[in-house]
Amino acid sequence: MRSISGIDMRILELLARFRFAPIEVIRREALANQSAETARAYSLRRLKHLREMGLVDRQLVFGKAPVHFLTEEGARLMGVEGGAGVGVRLAEYHHDLAVLGAYLALRDRGDRPGLVTEREARSTCPDAEDNDYALPITRPSGKRGVAWPDLVSGEVGALIGYEVEWTRKPKRRLVLLMHGYGYSPHYRIGVYLTVPDTHERVTEAAADANASLMARGLGRPILVRPLAGITGQQCE
């Protein structure tokens, strides 16, 4: 295998956290100490190098600048989820982009120790039943399953899960997902980050979930906050 530089590894580590990353985020994160012009030229060369190695690929999304992501081989190298975790899902593109922005904002605050993404959390243990980050849930069909927060911080027993609610879900589905935070012994709270289109429904679901969990002696573990309050950017 051709050599992997320190900057290459920073790019791979970034892409291992997320489904994809836009070029401007890669430049800012991997080449933070370089001028904008130097970072742009050098990041393009390093990404070309990683594509030629078969570790990274790119995709043009909605006619905009391409985003980059780990290939199956890249995911294996970095020890993270491959398969369905590889590449861009167009239906979830804006949600995944919002999660990336929320992660960077929470990280830069410096008061969220142990911050990990869903992809990192899933990779800590391939068996969901033994993975402390997994949330036990009951699906609307009545079947038991697990869910994964978009982001998690803290220590096991006092974990904080973060859910970016970009599109509206049925209220019952939201309540069942929220119950997972009350039933899990590993989580302290679940924070639902909303955009204007989802805020009202998520707030109503949180009130119902907290009321039912409180009645069962499980506290009120669900908080609802505007995503813009975390990222500092207004989301449409």
Side-chain angles (χ1 to χ4, degrees), residues 76-134:
R76 284 194 297 271
L77 175 68
M78 300 306 293
V80 295
E81 179 185 30
V86 168
V88 179
R89 292 180 181 175
L90 292 180
E92 299 178 12
Y93 173 77
H94 291 101
H95 167 270
D96 292 344
L97 202 59
V99 171
L100 190 158
Y103 172 90
L104 295 176
L106 288 168
R107 182 204 64 187
D108 291 347
R109 281 170 50 158
D111 60 354
R112 293 295 182 270
L115 184 65
V116 297
T117 64
E118 176 188 348
R119 196 177 196 185
E120 291 175 299
R122 293 167 74 107
S123 298
T124 60
C125 178
D127 187 344
E129 291 188 1
D130 295 326
N131 192 317
D132 293 336
Y133 291 111

Side-chain angles (χ1 to χ4, degrees), residues 23 32 34 44 46 58 101 103 126 139 145 154 161 167 186 196 203 228:
I23 183 66
Q34 304 290 331
L44 291 174
R46 299 323 302 170
R58 64 181 174 179
Y103 172 90
R139 303 189 188 283
T167 56
H186 306 306
T203 299

Side-chain angles (χ1 to χ4, degrees), residues 3-233:
S3 63
I4 297 177
S5 71
I7 290 175
D8 294 339
M9 186 54 64
R10 288 202 292 274
I11 293 172
L12 292 171
E13 288 170 349
L14 174 67
L15 295 179
R17 294 188 180 98
F18 306 101
R19 184 174 293 279
F20 62 83
I23 183 66
E24 61 269 19
V25 174
I26 294 172
R27 287 199 298 264
R28 187 169 65 246
E29 293 294 307
L31 295 157
N33 297 323
Q34 304 290 331
S35 68
E37 184 176 351
T38 299
R40 176 177 176 77
Y42 194 54
S43 62
L44 291 174
R45 290 201 300 271
R46 299 323 302 170
L47 285 165
K48 181 174 184 292
H49 172 73
L50 292 170
R51 289 197 304 272
E52 291 172 347
M53 293 180 69
L55 301 176
V56 167
D57 205 349
R58 64 181 174 179
Q59 180 176 336
L60 189 67
V61 180
F62 301 129
K64 299 180 180 180
V67 297
H68 287 75
F69 54 89
L70 293 183
T71 61
E72 288 280 2
E73 185 176 349
R76 284 194 297 271
L77 175 68
M78 300 306 293
V80 295
E81 179 185 30
V86 168
V88 179
R89 292 180 181 175
L90 292 180
E92 299 178 12
Y93 173 77
H94 291 101
H95 167 270
D96 292 344
L97 202 59
V99 171
L100 190 158
Y103 172 90
L104 295 176
L106 288 168
R107 182 204 64 187
D108 291 347
R109 281 170 50 158
D111 60 354
R112 293 295 182 270
L115 184 65
V116 297
T117 64
E118 176 188 348
R119 196 177 196 185
E120 291 175 299
R122 293 167 74 107
S123 298
T124 60
C125 178
D127 187 344
E129 291 188 1
D130 295 326
N131 192 317
D132 293 336
Y133 291 111
L135 283 168
I137 63 165
T138 300
R139 303 189 188 283
S141 64
K143 293 183 178 180
R144 299 293 180 88
V146 298
W148 304 89
D150 291 318
L151 303 169
V152 183
S153 68
E155 299 180 350
V156 173
L159 294 173
I160 301 174
Y162 305 86
E163 309 277 3
V164 174
E165 294 299 324
W166 189 262
T167 56
R168 281 179 287 184
K169 295 185 178 78
K171 184 178 173 182
R172 173 170 166 74
R173 180 183 172 194
L174 281 169
V175 170
L176 291 173
L177 289 169
M178 291 171 175
H179 280 171
Y181 286 99
Y183 295 134
S184 172
H186 306 306
Y187 282 84
R188 181 165 63 88
I189 58 175
V191 181
Y192 280 70
L193 304 174
T194 62
V195 295
D197 193 45
T198 63
H199 187 77
E200 182 177 359
R201 180 169 296 179
V202 173
T203 299
E204 292 174 355
D208 288 355
N210 280 331
S212 59
L213 290 170
M214 176 68 79
R216 297 168 190 172
L218 296 173
R220 298 170 58 84
I222 306 303
L223 300 178
V224 180
R225 297 289 185 269
L227 176 61
I230 300 295
T231 63
Q233 299 177 344

